[in-house]
Amino acid sequence: MNDHDREEAAFRNAFRTQAPQAPTGDVVLRPRRRWLPAVVVAAAVLAVVAGTTVLLEDDAGKSPTAAADSPTGQEREWRWVGIQDVEVRVPAGWDAALEVTRADCLEAGTDDPPDLSLMPADLRRPYVVIGSVFQVSTLQGCGRRTTDHDPDPAFGEVPFPLWQPYVKVETAWKSPEDTDEVPPTSQDTVKTFRGWKLTRATEDGVQISVLSAPGDDDLAAQVLASRRTVTTTVDGCTPTVTTPSDKRTAPDGAPWPAADSIGAVAICDYLSEGKTGGLNGSRLLTGEAARELITAIQDAPRGTGPDHPENCLPEYSHGRWLVLRPFASQDDLTGSLGDAQVFFDGCAGNGIVGPAGVRELTRGNCQPLFARPPVSLMSGDGAVFNRCFAG
Amino acid sequence: MPGDVVARATAPTDFSGYVAARARSLQVFAYLVTGDRSEAADLVQDALERAWPRWDRLVARGDVEAYLRRSIANGSISRWRKLRRVVPVAEPVAAGTSAAAPVGDADAAWQLCSTLPPTQRAAVVLRFYEDLSYAEIGTVLDCAEATARSHVHRALTSLRERLAEGADDE
């Protein structure tokens, strides 16, 4: 017998007696990959072994249903996104989305699992937010905050069960003149909550935010390390442009070639910063979509519109506009065939001005421009919305 | 438990098969480490969710069991630290001061577990329920073998003192 035989026996007996008290309920796992192995089906699989049931769900529960594409850097594919003159790499499978920010409909005090169907489809999987300002209230029915939801305010207002990994590229917060206070959701930080990791870093006026799911701790470092400065973006846009005047006159220069000569059209979204506009997001149309856009512009009625000058305030000026850059090939985005400017957020002077002259906004030439984030239409004149909002 | 050693050695290497075969064992370990059923369930779920993206590498290294147990143990430590900051912990009733009937050795050991630092508690569970060697305990708890031995020894000493106090009161 050793010196602690009695104590050892006491521990052994205690554990043997207590072991049956352990939970025997379901072990609920949420798949973290967008695809599932062949042995697992997307709905539910039951494997009953000695009273333990294993459920594999891809829907609501008390933890997020994050579906990372692939958490290892070597296996992951990447793509470039950015604003202004800053680009970073993000997981290729993460699409651009508009983020929910409205908090007044998030109710506290219930343990009911939130209804994931209330979340926009874009936000039920990992996503990328590019550019600032255009955050929307899409939680119309709203998720509910669970009583064990207590992450740091830096994580924002979305309930924990609804979290998805994301990368955001935004302009840094600018405090109002009477305060230097930066909201928790805009402060640079590194924070963790139940294995999730939030990293936010600002450099030269552009903030990169990364929320990574458990097991994907290296993502933030990989994204931030990829940061680069560019003079022409991956979509063929320039980081800054001169703010256009209010006059709508066709520029001198050659008209566009025939539409079948067009291989790609860059859609570059600018926000006014005074005399210049900063790139706030972009998208590239290619192939048939690009050719159809050029054709739709060339076929649109001449002149500006839709306009309601009777609604104009004297001091109004456009704060946002697009620049379209057609290219002969999507493989060479260095030689624009003639830029066009798209005005849409005003009471008057709306339309497309470029090598095709001055043309009205139509469904055919406007909806494709705002069809998907990061170039989206959030507000504006009703007539413009009728022609430009894709749904 | 000898049977569990065999089960660990022959556990399936595919994720779903492994979970079906070993989830119960993980739940027991988590419960013995925490003493709380719901916390145990949470820890097991968290550990499996963390293991899933690394599964192929863990299987290749033969590291699955150690990784999951370490994950559960670390989770219990994190929660213990958080609760210590947030929730006033009632002082445990000292052995021999209660007017209740004397408890047996096993009951005394289980009561003592609730007062042990979580790493010590995990070490004794790994030693006296999972039957791991001190080297294996060190692997799970990510500490030196000597440290693992020290954790167990301190817990045994604490229990000896508790049992001695109980005997003095009889």
Side-chain angles (χ1 to χ4, degrees):
Chain A
M1 293 187 57
N2 67 37
D3 199 34
H4 287 288
D5 277 356
R6 180 185 176 189
E7 292 77 26
E8 180 176 329
F11 276 125
R12 288 187 182 280
N13 289 335
F15 297 145
R16 190 177 64 245
T17 303
Q18 292 294 329
Q21 307 302 318
T24 56
D26 303 336
V27 175
V28 182
L29 306 173
R30 283 87 186 176
R32 297 198 176 281
R33 302 181 189 224
R34 191 170 289 173
W35 55 268
L36 295 174
V39 295
V40 172
V41 299
V45 168
L46 292 178
V48 180
V49 176
T52 300
T53 303
V54 177
L55 295 178
L56 291 156
E57 299 179 344
D58 67 354
D59 211 336
K62 289 208 170 182
S63 293
T65 62
D69 54 347
S70 174
T72 60
Q74 288 181 334
E75 301 163 3
R76 187 168 253 159
E77 293 184 354
W78 302 87
R79 65 185 181 97
W80 290 98
V81 301
I83 63 170
Q84 299 176 14
D85 61 352
V86 175
E87 288 186 334
V88 293
R89 291 193 317 166
V90 300
W94 296 17
D95 293 331
L98 293 171
E99 192 182 33
V100 166
T101 61
R102 181 172 170 179
D104 58 349
C105 59
L106 298 176
E107 299 172 19
T110 175
D111 284 325
D112 293 338
D115 184 353
L116 285 185
S117 67
L118 296 175
M119 289 293 283
D122 286 355
L123 300 181
R124 279 184 261 162
R125 55 177 181 262
Y127 59 91
V128 178
V129 173
I130 303 165
S132 305
V133 176
F134 307 115
Q135 296 164 335
V136 295
S137 308
T138 55
L139 276 182
Q140 295 302 318
C142 302
R144 289 171 181 259
R145 190 189 300 267
T146 56
T147 54
D148 66 350
H149 175 75
D150 59 352
D152 190 281
F155 287 93
E157 295 289 340
V158 177
F160 176 61
L162 302 180
W163 283 10
Q164 290 292 332
Y166 63 68
V167 176
K168 298 186 199 176
V169 184
E170 304 167 292
T171 52
W173 171 264
K174 291 181 182 176
S175 298
E177 289 183 358
D178 59 348
T179 177
D180 291 331
E181 187 175 344
V182 180
T185 50
S186 296
Q187 295 174 6
D188 285 358
T189 189
V190 178
K191 291 191 185 293
T192 60
F193 180 74
R194 297 189 67 178
W196 291 72
K197 181 179 174 183
L198 172 66
T199 307
R200 228 183 259 129
T202 300
E203 186 178 330
D204 293 335
V206 175
Q207 187 175 66
I208 312 296
S209 306
V210 181
L211 179 65
S212 60
D216 200 8
D217 292 351
D218 295 336
L219 176 63
Q222 291 170 325
V223 171
L224 292 173
S226 72
R227 180 175 175 139
R228 66 182 184 184
T229 302
V230 298
T231 55
T232 302
T233 72
V234 65
D235 288 334
C237 303
T238 55
T240 58
V241 293
T242 302
T243 298
S245 71
D246 291 333
K247 293 182 179 178
R248 301 289 180 257
T249 53
D252 296 328
W256 281 333
D260 56 10
S261 301
I262 304 297
V265 176
I267 306 169
C268 313
D269 189 354
Y270 293 95
L271 290 179
S272 175
E273 297 169 355
K275 293 184 178 179
T276 60
L279 186 69
N280 194 53
S282 62
R283 220 169 65 242
L284 187 69
L285 294 182
T286 60
E288 196 58 35
R291 290 187 281 275
E292 288 178 354
L293 175 64
I294 296 300
T295 300
I297 294 173
Q298 292 171 327
D299 291 347
R302 292 189 180 274
T304 62
D307 291 343
H308 292 282
E310 67 278 12
N311 295 336
C312 290
L313 296 173
E315 65 276 15
Y316 179 83
S317 62
H318 289 272
R320 183 185 171 204
W321 67 98
L322 307 182
V323 171
L324 306 182
R325 313 197 78 201
F327 301 97
S329 168
Q330 63 179 342
D331 298 322
D332 182 4
L333 303 180
T334 59
S336 171
L337 299 173
D339 291 357
Q341 296 169 325
V342 183
F343 303 99
F344 55 91
D345 72 337
C347 52
N350 295 310
I352 301 176
V353 180
V358 180
R359 304 283 183 164
E360 284 190 25
L361 297 176
T362 67
R363 281 181 175 265
N365 68 25
C366 198
Q367 280 192 3
L369 305 180
F370 299 103
R372 286 194 313 280
V375 182
S376 303
L377 190 63
M378 291 296 109
S379 64
D381 178 80
V384 170
F385 244 73
N386 282 338
R387 299 185 191 186
C388 299
F389 187 62
Chain B
M1 309 298 286
D4 202 53
V5 173
V6 174
R8 284 200 299 272
T10 59
T13 55
D14 67 292
F15 185 77
S16 59
Y18 177 91
V19 172
R22 300 293 296 157
R24 174 62 183 162
S25 170
L26 294 173
Q27 287 172 322
V28 170
F29 173 69
Y31 174 69
L32 295 178
V33 165
T34 62
D36 184 286
R37 291 166 55 89
S38 62
E39 188 175 330
D42 282 351
L43 289 178
V44 170
Q45 178 176 300
D46 289 348
L48 288 170
E49 288 181 344
R50 274 193 290 274
W52 166 238
R54 305 180 157 85
W55 190 252
D56 291 342
R57 280 178 286 158
L58 292 173
V59 170
R61 292 202 310 250
D63 209 21
V64 173
E65 289 279 340
Y67 177 88
L68 290 170
R69 275 162 174 66
R70 183 183 314 126
S71 198
I72 291 169
N74 286 342
S76 74
I77 293 169
S78 297
R79 288 175 184 233
W80 178 80
R81 287 175 180 158
K82 181 179 178 181
L83 286 174
R84 283 189 70 197
R85 285 199 302 271
V86 175
V87 178
V89 178
E91 288 296 322
V93 175
T97 61
S98 167
V103 298
D105 284 4
D107 291 333
W110 184 244
Q111 288 178 5
L112 177 71
C113 280
S114 65
T115 68
L116 292 177
T119 309
Q120 259 187 49
R121 182 171 183 164
V124 293
V125 171
L126 292 167
R127 180 68 179 167
F128 301 128
Y129 184 76
E130 302 275 346
D131 275 316
L132 297 191
S133 67
Y134 288 113
E136 289 172 323
I137 294 173
T139 299
V140 171
L141 298 181
D142 197 22
C143 64
E145 179 180 337
T147 304
R149 197 181 293 272
S150 173
H151 285 319
V152 173
H153 181 77
R154 287 181 185 178
L156 289 169
T157 301
S158 296
L159 182 56
R160 169 170 286 187
E161 293 170 355
R162 177 169 285 229
L163 293 175
E165 289 173 359
D168 289 346
D169 290 339
E170 289 175 357

